[in-house]
Amino acid sequence: MAEHGAHITTASVADDQPSIFEVVAQDSLMTAVRPALQHVVKVLAESNPTHYGFLWRWFDEIFTLLDLLVQQHYLSRTSASFSENFYGLKRIVMGDTQKSQRLASAGLPKKQLWKSIMVLVLLPYLKVKLEKLVSSLREEDEYSIHPPSSRWKRFYRAFLAAYPFVNMAWEGWFLVQQLRYILGKAQHHSPLLRLAGVQLGRLTVQDIQALEHKPAKASMMQQPARSVSEKMKSALKKAVGGVALSLSTGLSVGVFFLQFLDWWYSSENQETIKSLTALPTPPPPVHLDYNSDSPLLPKMKTVCPLCRKTRVNDTVLATSGYVFCYRCVFHYVRSHQACPITGYPTEVQHLIKLYSPEN
């Protein structure tokens, strides 16, 4: 049995195909980057909402732009994404008769390059946005907040009911493809590689030598721009390349740190962390002074700070402790992602319904 397992994991070596462990490792590397950076941005936004709050509100777009620069830099110079290059892999064009002569330093052809960028950058962005949309729709459904149109309501609930099955089919597709790759029945461990028209292979000695000598050769062959437009294009290209290079270098240096953060904040490790870092529960405050001098707060405690009317369906904001009408604070938080009083970064799941003794 062990001999059969060893044969499965090493059978692709002769074909210069990476093992399942290599391809899964490079996939998990980029998966760990987003939550680690998101945690850093969240800490910055909570420490100074005025200066860093926009980073939290636009994190998905900013991360996608930076990811685009990094992936384009590596795909055009190493024929691989950042994580693939980190593990010594490259992308080979399917059906290319000269793939054995093509070096990784030549970069991917434009067609496969843009397909790879769409798969590596655009699809994850759309998936994150779809998951956030589903999460917000479920929260609205729990509180019975629906548009007045009955047709839209039926589509709304059908979408929520069908999404788990669609997501399960999507993940199952990837699992089946990985099993076929392990058994040697497929050349791709991921269906997305087939959509991009490429397959993964290991870097050869010639590839490594060409990648090491490429920067020196490029600097020797560079010629000064003759016209103003050429100078501007050259400067812009250098600036974008410099940003992409600095980002890629920072990621290369911080790979261990990012993986450590991913382990530290993993759900399996939370119980151990809590037991090691547990502190005694602080006592409740003896008395809380109500700051009636603030222009944002009404003088009466039963009035909502947003609509200035007696509160209906009292709801507290966990990030700041202020109480509002549910409908008022729900729409405000969903639109601004911040507390109306303090400006702290806030999400809809931070709303907590309050129940009075009479209810």
Side-chain angles (χ1 to χ4, degrees):
M1 192 72 177
E3 293 178 356
H4 179 67
H7 172 71
I8 289 175
T9 56
T10 59
S12 61
V13 175
D15 298 331
D16 203 29
Q17 287 186 355
S19 67
I20 187 63
F21 302 105
E22 292 173 297
V23 295
V24 170
Q26 65 90 17
D27 282 340
S28 63
L29 175 59
M30 287 309 297
T31 305
V33 170
R34 177 184 284 270
L37 292 180
Q38 191 171 14
H39 178 74
V40 173
V41 170
K42 185 176 181 180
V43 171
L44 289 175
E46 290 179 346
S47 62
N48 194 334
T50 305
H51 292 87
Y52 304 112
F54 75 97
L55 293 177
W56 177 253
R57 291 191 297 270
W58 297 96
F59 174 79
D60 293 333
E61 288 72 20
I62 295 174
F63 179 84
T64 301
L65 178 60
L66 298 179
D67 191 23
L68 173 63
L69 293 175
V70 171
Q71 301 298 1
Q72 195 275 339
H73 173 79
Y74 275 92
L75 289 171
S76 60
R77 288 167 174 78
T78 65
S79 298
S81 66
F82 165 76
S83 57
E84 292 163 356
N85 180 260
F86 185 82
Y87 282 94
L89 305 178
K90 65 177 181 179
R91 296 194 168 207
I92 302 173
V93 180
M94 293 176 57
D96 189 0
T97 57
Q98 298 180 349
K99 64 181 180 180
S100 58
Q101 290 82 15
R102 184 186 295 273
L103 297 176
S105 58
L108 285 177
K110 286 188 177 181
K111 182 178 179 181
Q112 282 74 22
L113 186 144
W114 288 109
K115 282 185 178 180
S116 298
I117 288 178
M118 295 282 286
V119 167
L120 290 170
V121 180
L122 183 60
L123 281 184
Y125 172 76
L126 296 178
K127 190 172 185 294
V128 168
K129 287 298 184 182
L130 181 61
E131 290 175 352
K132 288 188 176 182
L133 174 63
V134 171
S135 177
S136 63
L137 291 178
R138 283 176 178 167
E139 290 171 357
E140 292 183 5
D141 188 60
E142 290 177 359
Y143 289 97
S144 299
I145 300 177
H146 298 288
S149 174
S150 59
R151 181 180 300 177
W152 167 251
K153 189 183 298 185
R154 288 195 297 268
F155 171 77
Y156 173 91
R157 291 179 174 175
F159 173 74
L160 290 180
Y163 179 77
F165 298 99
V166 175
N167 189 51
M168 181 179 65
W170 175 267
E171 298 296 338
W173 186 22
F174 279 76
L175 177 61
V176 170
Q177 190 68 19
Q178 289 183 357
L179 292 176
R180 294 183 68 241
Y181 185 82
I182 293 174
L183 299 173
K185 303 297 183 181
Q187 296 181 339
H188 312 83
H189 77 286
S190 170
L192 299 180
L193 288 175
R194 187 174 185 86
L195 293 176
V198 295
Q199 64 185 64
L200 291 182
R202 291 190 180 92
L203 289 174
T204 62
V205 177
Q206 294 80 6
D207 290 325
I208 297 174
Q209 291 176 350
L211 290 173
E212 290 177 350
H213 295 298
K214 185 177 180 179
K217 184 178 180 181
S219 61
M220 292 176 61
M221 296 180 61
Q222 188 175 7
Q223 297 179 357
R226 298 178 181 178
S227 63
V228 177
S229 60
E230 290 178 353
K231 289 182 179 180
M232 293 180 62
K233 290 180 181 179
S234 178
L236 181 61
K237 188 175 181 180
K238 286 182 180 180
V240 174
V243 172
L245 181 61
S246 60
L247 290 173
S248 60
T249 304
L251 283 177
S252 300
V253 174
V255 160
F256 172 77
F257 178 69
L258 292 173
Q259 290 182 334
F260 174 76
L261 281 179
D262 182 56
W263 168 82
W264 183 264
Y265 289 100
S266 62
S267 57
E268 295 82 2
N269 192 43
Q270 285 300 308
E271 295 299 328
T272 305
I273 295 174
K274 290 179 181 179
S275 63
L276 294 175
T277 61
L279 296 175
T281 304
V286 179
H287 178 70
L288 293 176
D289 293 329
Y290 187 76
N291 186 10
S292 58
D293 297 333
S294 175
L296 298 177
L297 296 175
K299 294 183 178 180
M300 296 183 63
K301 298 181 181 180
T302 57
V303 174
C304 173
L306 288 174
C307 65
R308 300 290 175 170
K309 298 179 182 178
T310 302
R311 289 195 303 267
V312 178
N313 198 0
D314 294 357
T315 302
V316 65
L317 205 52
T319 53
S320 61
Y322 291 99
V323 184
F324 310 85
C325 298
Y326 172 75
R327 187 174 297 274
C328 297
V329 71
F330 178 85
H331 290 297
Y332 186 93
V333 170
R334 187 173 62 174
S335 301
H336 299 84
Q337 297 181 349
C339 172
I341 306 300
T342 62
Y344 292 158
T346 305
E347 297 180 2
V348 177
Q349 56 263 32
H350 295 148
L351 303 178
I352 301 176
K353 175 73 171 65
L354 297 181
Y355 295 92
S356 61
E358 291 78 9
N359 295 333

